[in-house]
Amino acid sequence: MSKLLYFSKFQIVLFLTISFSVLFVNCQQATQTEKVEIIQSATGKKAMVVSAHHLATKVGNDILRKGGNAIDATIAVQYALAVVYPRAGNIGGGGFMVIRSKDGKYDSIDYREKAPKASTKDMYLDSLGNVIPGLSRNGHLAVGVPGTVEGMFEVHKKYGQLKDFKQLIQPAIDLAANGFLLTPLEIERLNRFKADFQKYNKSDNAFIKNTPWIEGDRLVQEELAHTLSLIRDKGRAGFYEGETADKIVAEMKAGNGIITHDDLTSYNAKWRAPLVGDYKNFKIISMAPPSSGGIALLQLLKIVEDYPLSEYGFQSKKAMHLMIEAERRVYSDRAKHLGDNDFYKVPQDSLLDKVYIKERMSDFNPQKATPSDLVAAGSFAIPMESFETTHTSVIDVDGNAVSTTTTLNSNFGSKVVVTDAGFFLNNEMDDFSAKPGVPNQFGLVGNEANAIEPEKRMLSSMTPTIVEKDGELFMVLGSPGGSTIITAVFQVFLNVVEFGMPLDDALFAKRFHHQWLPDVVMYENGGLTEASKQSLKELGHSIKDVKYMALVKAIHVKPDGELHGVGDNRSEDHAAGY
Ligand code: GLY
């Protein structure tokens, strides 16, 4: 599937220009139309990259063709996304990466942001103990200590094949310095957030200069190009020390933020054992805490494993009811038990114990929804806002596979751009539980397990996942989408293995989601037939339509070895391989 988008430069200027000489110049430029082909479903014999932006996917492919492995390509894509996909691609955020090497070994790294050392449990509460609206979501106090740059150096050191790191970051520097053509979606989004950019930034920056953005505009980011050059030339110290660190700390001081030089120099990424579990003859390799993604995905799969899902049929009443009730119970576990294992003993083994999981479903009634109040207490309105983060899936010619999800949290994170350094800072502090039982932007509630503590990592839903079938690489997948990430990965996997769909159909199929609280089944617009909606209501479910949920990027290794890469048709994802 492909979409063609045509842009013509300076169309509006043409109409307004009266001087002959200016008109002549513009006529020449207007004839140079640029064509961007967005390809969401692609096949390749050897290698594949799926990312959120066609230019980042191209950068990844170029690195693979130069002899880089999947890790090299992923690093290059990550830096390219920080330029061409500023809403979520980042150097001011963090993420997780799951790796399956060609010889079948698994690894994962956590480069999630950390709470600054001056953080306190009650930092977002007023004197009466109420959450101050917005404080953990926008502006300087919402920012966690960024982990992406450290994470990229760590994976390169351990797994990189192209030893010269400069090759991996230079494409991003060039894109930032020379600029790139904005797509209509990006134009709309940058214009929509302009008021926020102005509110949380004192000076002009590349995102608000010369706005509003119009079709044909290029985004040039000279300051970001300079920051990336410092990382290229000085390594980790180009970000966590010296000029860039000074700029981050000055930005914090200007906006009452609390990140210090000490926070930056002491930041560390962590190699963690990935979570590995079985579903029938599939092995699921996913992310351990501080992501909830791996545990929740494995719990969901273990619950549905014993039911004849394929017999029930795709989005049949029986299949949906079972999956919704599983989701309800798993998300209530998430709220109570999950947090950063380095600070809170997550009962991982108990949560994944088969007997425990069966017990969780002992009150499942095939004829009736179980109200979430009976699964655990609490009820509130839906404060869903945005579903931003981004995912990249890569397989290289040798069969190394990388699944990585990275985030600023909301669209453009805290909306704070580091002055003179040109990049957005995350608002990841909102992924902590600011107060037990009070929902964050995704409507997720938390508890002691995810309370704020200095240097702790906030709980995540990111679910970068790799799947083996009978010991062979079968699928690489993951998604942005806040709380809906886990259910999207769950459903895309089941669509392929239980409902027999090719990967593109599996991704493009409309999704549904339940997260315990609020007690409502969300479904994508146009996704359920009237009969399906009626049957869910008859079972006692409340339902609510939303525009879309999650943007999955996946690669399926077909039985003949061909790679099928698919990005989501809900956005401008781009798949390419060879
Ligand atoms: N910031 C979204 C997540 O980590 O789940």
Side-chain angles (χ1 to χ4, degrees), residues 112 388-389 407 409 428 431 442 459-462 482 485:
R112 178 82 162 155
E388 290 325 317
T389 290
T407 184
N409 199 12
E428 223 68 66
D431 272 345
F442 301 117
L459 184 60
S460 171
S461 299
M462 293 189 279
I485 294 173

Side-chain angles (χ1 to χ4, degrees), residues 108-130:
S108 66
I109 184 165
D110 164 3
Y111 52 97
R112 178 82 162 155
E113 301 89 329
K114 286 174 136 188
K117 290 182 184 179
S119 307
T120 60
K121 187 175 170 192
D122 296 339
M123 63 191 279
Y124 300 115
L125 306 186
D126 64 17
S127 56
L128 300 175
N130 298 317

